Amino acid sequence: MVRLALLLVLLSSMVFEVDMMKCPENDPVPVPHEWHRSGDLLVGGIVSQVSYDLHMLAFQRQPSKALFEVPQMVTKFYQHILALAFAVNEINENSLILPNATLGFHICDSYYNARMTYHTTLELLFKSQRFVPNYICDSQKTLTAVIGGLSADTSFHMADILGLYKILQFNLRFNSLWPYAINFITTTLYKLTYGSFASEERDTSKVPLFFHMVPKEAYQNMGIIHLLLHFQWIWVGLFAADDDSGEHFLKTLEPLFSQNGICSAFTERIPNQSKWDTFGDIYKMISDISRPLTDSKANTLILYGGSKTMVTLNALIFFGTVGYKENIPLRKVWIMTAQVDFTLSGFQTSLNFDFFQGALSFTIHSHEVLGFQTFSHIIKPDWRQGNGFLKDFWEQVFDCSFPSSQDPKKDTGICTGEERLDSLLGPVFEMDMTGHSYSIYNAVHAVAHALHIMFTFRANHRMILHQYLQDISFNNSVGETIFFNKNRKTGAMFDITNLITFPNKSIHRRKVGRVDADAVDGREFIIHQDMIDWHRSFNQVVPVSVCNGHCTPGYQKKKKEGEKFCCYDCAPCPEGKISNQKDTVECIKCPEDQYPSKNQERCIRKVISFLSFAEPLGISLASVAISCSLVTALVLGTFIKHKNTPIVKANNQDVSYILLISLLLCFLCSLLFIGRPQKATCFLRQSAFGIIFSMAVSCILAKTTTVVVVFMATKPGSSMSKWVGKRLTNSIVASGTIIQGVICVIWLGTSPPFPYLDIQSINVNIVAECNEGSHNMFYVVLGYMGLLSTICLILAFLARNLPNDFNEAKFITFSMLIFCSVWVSFVPTYLSTKGKYMVAVEIFSILASSAGLLVCIFFTKCYIILLRPDKNSIKVKVKVCTHTHLYFMLLLPLPYPMCSTDISKPTKLTCDIFI
């Protein structure tokens, strides 16, 4: 209670001092542009429309009105003022919002100058008609919030002042605005900024009175990246204002470029007009701007700056390209940020700005507000009452002067007041509500709704206004929901507009997309490419902006030394790899079941390959196998039919039959190797081939061994005579076959063959083959056959000199030479081929070796049986009858007469030997 009493005494003394102080009649530094409309509650506004060439203050004399010269007005931004006034009118006409109070406004200008921004901010705080900082000289102002400014600098300068005045203010009167009487309240001013700027430059999250009506610049930066990537523009020029905001923009964007494979072709700074001190400075600026435009291969240019950047850039481009026919170098795609508005002033309205045709602009999201154009149509010069902006605006946009003007413009007409705003060019003044104006409109409504809620629930809640603003959520007149997030920001959306210019210098903005950070399901960035109207020089074809030509599919990028990564050479993909897109960084391998095309631009699915009965090679081998089988069957039939003839009986009849049957099965088993491998065929074919061939070779070995044994048995005292006969041959055939059978059973029992798809061996095919399971066992089978063949060859070679009438050894020798030659050649050939040709090699070896045995051993005998039956005789005249000849007759199953001579001694007598 004591502290409260002291506070009341202090406040009373302060009020007494204020009442006794006499305020000055005139302002020392007048503000020529302001618009004030009274109301129970006031909304302040600081716009950025007028600029002066201000003199430097030396503080050697009292400031005066000589401080100002002819104003330079950005006439297009007059819409910001109208948007605030329109919103206030709309609220006052709505009985559902602040029904017991009227809303007024007080609008000043920042003059694009820091000290003037500070001054006009104090004007809002302490002046209605006279200005004394920190003193209340007029009737009490109930200023609830201030809306502004357009640039980052202006907003922060305002915040510096507004943040200081968290003061106690007495309210000594009670009216319908306050339904409950209270002794005193805390009055705080709230700052709502409508300009789009980089809030990262200065942390505003800790300032509870600072509200953003525009999205973060980071969303815009990501939108730029999405846009460049969508059109594959990776070689881009950058123009940025020569100030802190421009520096911040470049530092933020460059890392994003690197992360997304985009390069900046050049970076140029756009100076403020205040730096145009000499002609040399101007010439240098023009050269710096025009040189990259004419020399660079970049067809896409990004422009970042402030509200007056377009005015400066347009002048520099015009003077820098006067000598170029039809501005050919300027046929570019301009991407403008939301901070830049397409504005022209003064003489620039007569210039050709067709080079901005097709520009893409990021603008603050907006809707067309019903009634705003009607409100703009009724703007007339008689509104000048209390409106310090309208006179200069009207004179500059219509190039006229009012009769009351103290400094009438030369060569201009008199302003009649009947001029129409809708007749103005878009760069001078737009009738459609822009994004910044829409933000101002929503800001005023947000303040009004927060005040309405605060006054409605004042009895139950002792909350200050910023807490109501923080929690506000309402639908504006177009049905869009307005609210602030936890960081006191509203909205996360930018519109993307396409600038269309017309010969009469009018412009049209067409919405072609948007950036919405709050969207889901991949709809954060949307662009309607078919709606974009490109610069006429591009013939409505999407422009290309790259350092060099694209690398076509089948090639990959190869870095150029000493240049940015966007500049590269194109190198063919390495063997086995492909690139199916343009500008591939690194070629990729095809999946295992695919292979690269000839141009290495796509992957082709591999075809499953196997030796088929339907292809020419398969048909040929199958035909040969069947033909050889038929021939073997024919030979077997011939032998069976002529089984009682001497030549059949003399050739070990049973073994010959077994050999022919084995050869028949050898020819037929080759058919198991043709066709797509199945589980059964893989399981049987190698084992069947090994066992059958072993049986055939064993039969030949039995024939050869019999001959050798006979020779050995004829020697005196030899004990080999007991081995002569069928028992020996049958034992050789059986044992030779059984051993191979045991090997195959072990193979099939431990690691049997199985069907297998070989993806790696051949690039263009998947080979369907039989995996042998155990390759070692496969070579054991071949090795065993090789061992039998080698023994047979050696024995036949040793017995080759027996007389022709009785000896098969020569024919066996030739057959085994063919057989061994085929299979010795088979091993390296088999290992050097792949796919179905491996199978073809094995089939050919089977057929060739089998045919060699058939021809060499049986064709001569068939020739005698069928064509020379006279040689198939029982009696053969032998001039010299040796013991060998006589003993060989013991093998024959025919009756024969013995010679009278001693068989142990050769005789000159002729012996009749029955064979």
Side-chain angles (χ1 to χ4, degrees):
M1 296 297 295
V2 175
R3 291 182 180 179
L4 180 60
L6 292 175
L7 180 59
L8 291 174
V9 172
L10 178 59
L11 292 175
S12 300
S13 62
M14 290 174 60
V15 172
F16 178 77
E17 290 179 5
V18 170
D19 291 339
M20 296 297 296
M21 177 170 289
K22 182 178 181 182
C23 295
E25 296 296 329
N26 297 318
D27 294 341
V29 180
V31 177
H33 298 91
E34 59 180 343
W35 187 6
H36 181 275
R37 179 175 295 177
S38 61
D40 297 320
L41 297 170
L42 290 182
V43 176
I46 292 186
V47 296
S48 298
Q49 183 177 3
V50 184
S51 62
Y52 285 96
D53 292 332
L54 299 177
H55 301 295
M56 294 298 296
L57 293 179
F59 296 99
Q60 296 178 353
R61 62 183 181 183
Q62 182 178 359
S64 65
K65 293 183 179 182
L67 177 70
F68 302 111
E69 296 180 353
V70 177
Q72 300 173 3
M73 180 173 287
V74 184
T75 56
K76 187 173 184 177
F77 294 161
Y78 186 70
Q79 189 191 93
H80 302 168
I81 299 173
L82 294 182
L84 195 153
F86 171 74
V88 170
N89 281 0
E90 191 177 68
I91 291 169
N92 288 334
E93 292 174 0
N94 188 346
S95 60
L96 300 178
I97 306 176
L98 296 176
N100 297 321
T102 58
L103 200 61
F105 59 81
H106 188 181
I107 306 173
C108 297
D109 204 293
S110 69
Y111 297 103
Y112 295 94
N113 182 271
R115 55 193 173 98
M116 288 304 298
T117 301
Y118 290 134
H119 183 78
T120 53
T121 304
L122 292 172
E123 286 265 337
L124 294 179
L125 294 174
F126 301 106
K127 178 198 171 190
S128 292
Q129 301 299 326
R130 292 185 296 276
F131 169 69
V132 178
N134 291 324
Y135 290 94
I136 302 175
C137 295
D138 295 312
S139 59
Q140 182 179 353
K141 292 177 61 175
T142 313
L143 190 63
T144 58
V146 178
I147 302 173
L150 185 59
S151 68
D153 290 342
T154 301
S155 293
F156 291 138
H157 295 328
M158 294 169 59
D160 290 338
I161 299 297
L162 296 176
L164 297 175
Y165 287 93
K166 298 178 181 179
I167 60 175
L168 294 176
Q169 181 179 353
F170 279 105
N171 183 20
L172 301 179
R173 57 182 180 171
F174 304 94
N175 54 35
S176 59
L177 176 64
W178 307 104
Y180 300 95
I182 52 176
N183 293 327
F184 62 90
I185 62 172
T186 302
T187 301
T188 309
L189 300 177
Y190 302 92
K191 172 71 166 54
L192 293 91
T193 176
Y194 69 92
S196 180
F197 61 93
S199 61
E200 293 85 353
E201 294 177 26
R202 179 170 168 181
D203 186 12
T204 60
S205 62
K206 298 179 181 179
V207 183
L209 312 180
F210 206 98
F211 289 83
H212 297 268
M213 297 303 301
V214 294
K216 292 176 60 176
E217 191 177 63
Y219 302 148
Q220 177 179 249
N221 294 339
M222 290 308 302
I224 293 174
I225 298 299
H226 281 297
L227 184 65
L228 296 178
L229 294 178
H230 176 81
F231 291 108
Q232 299 182 4
W233 295 330
I234 60 172
W235 191 244
V236 182
L238 294 175
F239 288 93
D242 191 10
D243 54 22
D244 293 339
S245 295
E247 182 69 22
H248 176 82
F249 174 76
L250 295 177
K251 287 183 178 179
T252 303
L253 202 63
E254 285 289 354
L256 294 177
F257 275 10
S258 299
Q259 295 168 14
N260 292 276
I262 304 170
C263 298
S264 57
F266 59 85
T267 300
E268 292 296 332
R269 302 300 182 89
I270 302 174
N272 297 323
Q273 292 185 6
S274 60
K275 297 183 179 181
W276 297 16
D277 297 331
T278 64
F279 180 78
D281 294 337
I282 297 176
Y283 179 78
K284 183 178 183 304
M285 294 174 191
I286 292 174
S287 299
D288 292 341
I289 296 297
S290 60
R291 184 178 61 254
L293 291 177
T294 56
D295 296 341
S296 175
K297 293 177 287 186
N299 285 327
T300 303
L301 308 175
I302 298 176
L303 176 60
Y304 178 93
S307 56
K308 297 180 68 175
T309 300
M310 181 60 71
V311 177
T312 304
L313 180 65
N314 194 36
L316 293 175
I317 290 178
F318 175 78
F319 288 112
T321 58
V322 172
Y324 295 96
K325 184 179 180 180
E326 297 181 357
N327 288 331
I328 292 178
L330 298 180
R331 292 174 180 175
K332 311 284 187 179
V333 178
W334 290 86
I335 298 177
M336 302 179 185
T337 59
Q339 295 84 345
V340 178
D341 209 335
F342 193 75
T343 59
L344 300 177
S345 64
F347 75 95
Q348 292 183 346
T349 56
S350 62
L351 301 181
N352 180 17
F353 48 86
D354 185 60
F355 46 80
F356 288 112
Q357 158 70 24
L360 299 175
S361 297
F362 286 84
T363 60
I364 299 172
H365 172 65
S366 65
H367 278 290
E368 183 58 36
V369 179
L370 295 178
F372 179 71
Q373 288 196 13
T374 303
F375 179 81
S376 301
H377 276 298
I378 65 175
I379 299 297
K380 296 296 180 182
D382 55 7
W383 279 47
R384 284 182 293 168
Q385 182 67 31
N387 188 344
F389 295 92
L390 187 57
K391 173 182 176 296
D392 288 333
F393 166 76
W394 205 270
E395 290 181 342
Q396 292 192 25
V397 295
F398 293 113
D399 194 21
C400 63
S401 61
F402 288 102
S404 59
S405 176
Q406 297 179 0
D407 185 19
K409 298 175 177 58
K410 296 180 180 180
D411 301 326
T412 59
I414 302 300
C415 297
T416 63
E418 298 301 321
E419 295 86 358
R420 296 178 57 87
L421 293 178
D422 56 2
S423 65
L424 298 173
L425 299 178
V428 177
F429 184 82
E430 287 191 52
M431 297 297 292
D432 294 333
M433 183 175 283
T434 64
H436 287 115
S437 298
Y438 187 67
S439 297
I440 295 173
Y441 172 83
N442 286 330
V444 176
H445 273 272
V447 172
H449 279 77
L451 289 171
H452 180 81
I453 296 173
M454 186 178 70
F455 298 155
T456 302
F457 298 98
R458 187 67 178 181
N460 299 322
H461 297 80
R462 298 296 303 271
M463 300 172 64
I464 56 177
L465 181 58
H466 81 87
Q467 293 173 303
Y468 287 100
L469 275 172
Q470 178 73 59
D471 300 329
I472 195 71
S473 178
F474 65 94
N475 291 336
N476 62 12
S477 60
V478 297
E480 186 173 13
T481 303
I482 307 299
F483 64 94
F484 292 97
N485 61 23
K486 63 180 180 179
N487 295 320
R488 297 179 302 282
K489 294 179 174 63
T490 181
M493 185 185 298
F494 287 94
D495 293 329
I496 303 176
T497 60
N498 181 214
L499 184 67
I500 303 174
T501 62
F502 298 96
N504 63 353
K505 300 185 184 302
S506 62
I507 64 170
H508 172 66
R509 291 184 183 271
R510 178 188 298 162
K511 289 186 180 181
V512 295
R514 71 172 185 266
V515 178
D516 187 359
D518 294 333
V520 294
D521 298 331
R523 299 180 62 85
E524 294 85 358
F525 173 83
I526 295 177
I527 187 73
H528 302 290
Q529 183 175 326
D530 56 332
M531 296 178 59
I532 299 177
D533 191 1
W534 302 107
H535 192 282
R536 298 172 185 86
S537 62
F538 295 122
N539 297 321
Q540 292 309 306
V541 177
V542 177
V544 177
S545 187
V546 294
C547 180
N548 49 266
H550 292 291
C551 288
T552 58
Y555 290 80
Q556 65 182 3
K557 294 180 180 180
K558 183 179 180 182
K559 179 174 173 51
K560 286 184 178 181
E561 294 296 330
E563 298 190 27
K564 292 187 176 182
F565 64 86
C566 291
C567 301
Y568 47 82
D569 293 321
C570 298
C573 289
E575 185 177 356
K577 293 186 176 182
I578 63 104
S579 63
N580 54 8
Q581 296 179 347
K582 295 188 297 183
D583 296 333
T584 300
V585 177
E586 184 176 0
C587 297
I588 59 174
K589 294 186 68 174
C590 289
E592 289 187 344
D593 60 342
Q594 300 178 22
Y595 67 95
S597 62
K598 183 178 180 180
N599 297 326
Q600 294 179 285
E601 60 185 12
R602 63 191 180 95
C603 290
I604 302 175
R605 187 169 295 279
K606 292 181 179 180
V607 178
I608 296 179
S609 173
F610 56 91
L611 186 59
S612 171
F613 285 105
E615 61 180 299
L617 181 58
I619 293 174
S620 300
L621 293 175
S623 300
V624 172
I626 294 173
S627 299
C628 291
S629 301
L630 294 175
V631 170
T632 305
L634 183 61
V635 171
L636 178 61
T638 300
F639 266 59
I640 293 174
K641 182 178 180 181
H642 298 86
K643 64 181 179 179
N644 295 321
T645 61
I647 197 168
V648 175
K649 292 181 177 182
N651 281 275
N652 205 330
Q653 186 176 10
D654 294 337
V655 175
S656 296
Y657 291 161
I658 296 173
L659 177 59
L660 287 171
I661 293 172
S662 299
L663 292 177
L664 175 63
L665 294 177
C666 285
F667 289 123
L668 293 177
C669 81
S670 64
L671 298 178
L672 294 174
F673 292 83
I674 304 175
R676 181 160 185 170
Q678 304 294 332
K679 187 175 181 179
T681 55
C682 288
F683 187 82
L684 291 176
R685 67 184 189 179
Q686 295 292 4
S687 300
F689 152 70
I691 293 173
I692 294 171
F693 253 83
S694 297
M695 181 183 294
V697 175
S698 298
C699 291
I700 298 173
L701 180 61
K703 281 177 171 286
T704 308
T705 304
T706 301
V707 174
V708 174
V709 169
V710 168
F711 287 147
M712 296 176 65
T714 58
K715 294 181 180 180
S718 175
S719 61
M720 297 297 294
S721 59
K722 62 182 180 179
W723 294 100
V724 177
K726 292 185 178 180
R727 185 176 60 178
L728 176 64
T729 57
N730 293 337
S731 299
I732 293 174
V733 173
S735 60
T737 305
I738 291 172
I739 292 174
Q740 185 70 288
V742 172
I743 295 173
C744 291
V745 168
I746 296 174
W747 181 12
L748 297 178
T750 56
S751 181
F754 57 90
Y756 173 72
L757 295 178
D758 183 4
I759 300 176
Q760 302 295 337
S761 297
I762 301 179
N763 290 333
V764 299
N765 294 115
I766 298 175
V767 179
E769 62 181 10
C770 288
N771 188 303
E772 306 303 346
S774 173
H775 288 83
N776 293 332
M777 293 301 297
F778 173 65
Y779 290 116
V780 168
V781 170
L782 293 181
Y784 178 74
M785 284 196 308
L787 177 62
L788 291 179
S789 304
T790 302
I791 296 173
C792 187
L793 176 62
I794 294 173
L795 292 178
F797 179 78
L798 295 175
R800 71 189 184 282
N801 292 323
L802 197 66
N804 293 343
D805 298 278
F806 310 99
N807 194 8
E808 287 186 291
K810 288 184 179 180
F811 300 110
I812 293 174
T813 302
F814 285 121
S815 66
M816 294 314 297
L817 281 174
I818 295 174
F819 185 89
C820 292
S821 299
V822 169
W823 287 104
V824 168
S825 302
F826 162 78
V827 174
T829 307
Y830 183 81
L831 295 177
S832 62
T833 55
K834 296 179 180 180
K836 61 183 179 182
Y837 297 104
M838 292 180 67
V839 180
V841 167
E842 188 168 359
I843 294 174
F844 175 80
S845 300
I846 293 172
L847 296 178
S849 58
S850 301
L853 296 178
L854 180 65
V855 171
C856 292
I857 296 177
F858 292 101
F859 270 29
T860 303
K861 297 176 177 59
C862 289
Y863 172 76
I864 294 174
I865 293 171
L866 298 176
L867 301 178
R868 298 296 301 271
D870 57 308
K871 287 191 174 185
N872 193 5
S873 174
I874 298 176
K875 181 188 286 188
V876 177
K877 297 292 184 179
V878 180
K879 292 181 180 180
V880 180
C881 187
T882 64
H883 65 281
T884 305
H885 296 136
L886 297 174
Y887 196 83
F888 185 74
M889 291 187 292
L890 297 175
L891 300 175
L892 299 178
L894 299 175
Y896 56 89
M898 295 293 294
C899 294
S900 59
T901 57
D902 187 357
I903 64 173
S904 62
K905 295 180 180 179
T907 178
K908 299 297 184 180
L909 299 177
T910 300
C911 299
D912 292 331
I913 302 175
F914 295 92
I915 60 172

